[in-house]
């Protein structure tokens, strides 16, 4: 069974009482949640735990009165496919070429709650 344990601006992801990952978020635009980090230990990936944890996070954010969740991932990361499969839609990008912060394009996603 997947469950969440509240921490500062985030949650520990627990499976059958064992800590297997975490979710962190920040407040964006008037308190809208921005999911900044969803991480699972490698041996717990691709088992539905991340999907369940994300669903629980979305339910929690909705219960707090939020209307949507924002997040981002780089175009060279597999996470974008996970977020698309869980209902998130692309809503913009950030390109940091030729800057001290140069990296592949960052894609932003949103999901209405």
């Amino acid at each position: 069974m997947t469950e969440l344990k509240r921490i500062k601006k985030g949650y520990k992801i627990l499976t059958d009482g064992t800590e297997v990952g975490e979710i962190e978020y920040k407040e964006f635009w008037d308190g809208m949640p921005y999911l900044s980090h969803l991480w699972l230990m490698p041996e717990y990936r691709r088992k539905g735990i991340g999907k369940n944890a994300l669903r629980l996070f979305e339910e929690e954010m909705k219960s707090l009165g939020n209307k949507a969740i924002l997040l981002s991932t780089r175009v060279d990361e597999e996470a974008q496919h996970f977020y698309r499969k869980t209902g998130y839609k692309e809503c913009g990008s950030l390109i940091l070429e030729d800057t001290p912060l140069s990296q592949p394009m960052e894609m932003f996603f949103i999901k209405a709650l």
Side-chain angles (χ1 to χ4, degrees):
M1 179 176 85
T2 303
E3 57 184 306
L4 298 178
K5 178 182 174 187
R6 181 100 166 120
I7 58 173
K8 252 189 197 179
K9 287 295 181 196
Y11 301 87
K12 296 291 183 184
I13 301 170
L14 307 174
T15 296
D16 298 324
T18 301
E19 188 178 310
V20 299
E22 60 190 25
I23 291 176
E24 294 176 5
Y25 70 98
K26 297 173 178 14
E27 291 183 1
F28 200 68
W29 291 338
D30 298 325
M32 180 186 295
Y34 172 81
L35 177 62
S36 56
H37 183 70
L38 188 158
W39 178 83
L40 282 176
M41 294 169 58
E43 61 269 28
Y44 291 94
R45 295 176 187 167
R46 300 188 186 277
K47 297 176 189 269
I49 296 167
K51 184 178 177 180
N52 287 335
L54 183 59
R55 180 186 49 79
L56 292 170
F57 175 72
E58 292 166 353
E59 289 172 4
E60 175 73 7
M61 293 299 103
K62 185 174 182 176
S63 77
L64 295 172
N66 293 290
K67 306 286 187 225
I69 294 175
L70 289 172
L71 61 87
S72 69
T73 184
R74 290 176 12 176
V75 295
D76 63 343
E77 295 176 333
E78 286 187 37
Q80 63 179 295
H81 307 296
F82 169 76
Y83 292 120
R84 282 190 181 101
K85 284 193 274 185
T86 55
Y88 286 80
K89 306 287 182 203
E90 272 185 58
C91 63
S93 62
L94 178 64
I95 300 171
L96 298 171
E97 290 178 351
D98 302 322
T99 73
L101 302 174
S102 190
Q103 69 174 39
M105 183 177 76
E106 189 79 13
M107 290 189 314
F108 288 84
F109 293 85
I110 192 166
K111 183 175 184 180
L113 300 176

